[in-house]
Amino acid sequence: MKHYEVEILDAKTKDKLCFLDKVEPNATIGEIKSMFHKSHPQWYPARQSIRLDPKGKSLKDEDVLQHLPVGTTATFYFRDLGAQISWVTVFLTEYTGPLVIYLMFYFRVPFIYAPKYDFTTSKHWVVHLACMCHSFHYVKRLLETLFVHRFSHGTMPLRNIFKNCTYYWGFAAWMAYYINHPLYTPPIYGEQQIRLALIVFLFCQIGNFSIHVALRNLRPPGSKTRKIPYPTKNPFTWIFLLVSCPNYTYELGSWLGFTLMTQCLPVAFFTLVGFIQMTVWAKGKHRSYLKEFRDYPPLRSPILPFVL
Amino acid sequence: MFKAAHSDVAPKRKKGPGALATAYLVIYNVVMTAGWLVIAVGLVRAYLARGSYHGLYYSIEKPLKFFQTGAILEVMSRVFLTWAVTHSVREVQSEDSVLLFVTAWTVTEIIRYSFYTFSLLNHLPFLIKWARYTFFFVLYPMGVTGELLTIYAALPYVQKTGLYSVTLPNKYNFSFDYYTFLILIMISYIPLFPQLYFHMIRQRKKVLGHVEDYSKVE
C-alpha cells in the first residue's frame, strides 16, 4: 500500500506547521485533524479548518485523502476558527435563559416592579395563559435539542453564545416585563381574541414539532446526509409541498399567535426580528437545496407559500 | 458624532465610478459644500449683525435643517442632534453648546466635501488633504463636547415635559422613557468616540505619512 505524506501550512503565513509521513490513503480529513492536534494541542480538531487552497472552502471531516485532488505529498492549508463551543451547549444555554427569566417576571421577584407588588400574581387570566405558553415553548425547544435535532456541525465559534444569549435573554426580559406588569392591559377583544390566538399558537407548536421530527427521520443516526424533505402521513407536514423550511413558517405562526394573545408591542418586535432572521436562513437553505438537487420541487418557496 | 469611517470608503475605490455616477457625486458634493458654506456665511453675518452669538441658531435654522436631512447617507447622529434634541427642545437652542457643534460640523463638512469634489475630479490640492486629516484633532473633540453639552442641557426639560415618552398603562403594553434614552446615548459616546478618533489618527499616518519624512531631511 502506497503511503502519503501530508504537510500542513498556515493559510496566512504559509509557514510549515506540521509534517506527517506514512499516512494511509484511506485516511479521512477528520483523522488528519486528530494527528495535527497531537503536534499542536491548542488546536483541537473542531477549531481546525483544513483546505486545499489558502482561500478555498474547508474540507469535510468525511473526505478521504486518496479521493482528493492531491499528489502523494499532499499540501493542506490550515486556518484557526477560534475557540469553539458545541451547538447543544449553545442551544441549552440560550433557551434556558428565557424560561427562567420570564418566570422571574411572572412571579414578580423583588426589584423589578414597585415593592408593593413583590410576589403577587396578575389579576388577568390571560397573563397566566401567556406564562404557560411561553414556558411550554422553551421546554419544547430544550427537549428537541436533547432528543430530536441532528446537527450537521458539532460546534460554532465561542463568541456566538454571547451574541445569541443577549438576543434571547434580552428579548425575553423585555417582553416578560410588560406582560407581567401590574399595569398590563388585556387584549381589546377579550376572550375571542385570546381563544383564537391560543388555537393559532398550539397549531403552530404542533406543526413546528412535526417538521422537526420529519427532518430528523430523513437522517440516520450519526450521519450528516442531506435529502429533500417530503410530506409524510402527518398532515402538519403537507406544508412541505409549498415551503422549503416550514419549521420557520410554523415558528412565525406561533409568535404571531403569542403577539395576538398578549397584545404587547415588544412581542410584536420580537416576532418581526425573528421573522427577518428566519427569512435569511430560509432563503439560504432554499438556495442550497436548489444547488444540490436537480429535481428539487419548483413549487416551493423558502418560508411563506408563494410569497417569500 | 463624526462618521469618518464611512468617508474613507469613497476615495479608496480601486475602479473609478462610471461617468454618470461621477457626475452625480460631483454635483452632490458641490451642493453639500455650498450648503455648508451658506450655513457658515449665515453664522458669520448673524454674528456681525448681532454683535454676540446669542440667537445664532435661528439665523441658520432653515438651511441647517435642509442640509442635515438631505444627507441621508450621512451620520444618523447628526440628524438626531438637530431634530430630536436641538429642534425638539426649544430651550436648548440658545445654548452656546449648539454653536460649538454647529461650528465644528460646518468647518469639517466644508473641508470634507471639497475633499470629495476634488478627489472625484482627480485633482486634489495637498492643502485640502492636509486640512482634512489635521483639523479633526480639534474639530472632533469640539463637536463631541458641543453635542454632549447640548444633550445634557436638554435633559431637565425632557424629564419635566415627558417629551417623546410613552407611559403605562396603554393598549399596546409598551413604554419608552426618552430621558433614559438620552442618557444611554451620552454613555455610548464613551466607547464610540475614542474608536473614531484613533481611527482618524491611523488614517492620517497612512495618508500624510510622507510629510514626516520631509521634516527629517534636515
Side-chain angles (χ1 to χ4, degrees), chain B residues 165-201:
Chain B
S165 299
V166 176
T167 54
L168 292 175
N170 60 72
K171 65 181 173 193
Y172 298 112
N173 291 303
F174 175 73
S175 67
F176 178 71
D177 184 20
Y178 193 46
Y179 177 82
T180 309
F181 180 70
L182 285 176
I183 292 180
L184 291 173
I185 295 271
M186 289 177 73
I187 295 175
S188 75
Y189 274 68
I190 298 176
L192 290 172
F193 170 66
Q195 280 184 39
L196 286 167
Y197 198 59
F198 290 124
H199 172 79
M200 276 305 272
I201 294 177

Side-chain angles (χ1 to χ4, degrees), chain A residues 241-269:
Chain A
L241 291 168
L242 299 174
V243 158
S244 289
C245 303
N247 48 319
Y248 295 143
T249 317
Y250 281 123
E251 183 71 14
L252 171 66
S254 297
W255 287 105
L256 284 173
F258 193 68
T259 306
L260 192 66
M261 191 191 295
T262 56
Q263 200 170 291
C264 177
L265 196 59
V267 179
F269 267 125

Side-chain angles (χ1 to χ4, degrees), chain B residues 84 89 154-165 177-179 182:
Chain B
V89 187
L155 286 178
Y157 300 104
V158 169
Q159 186 166 54
K160 195 167 62 157
T161 62
L163 181 68
Y164 298 148
S165 299
D177 184 20
Y178 193 46
Y179 177 82
L182 285 176

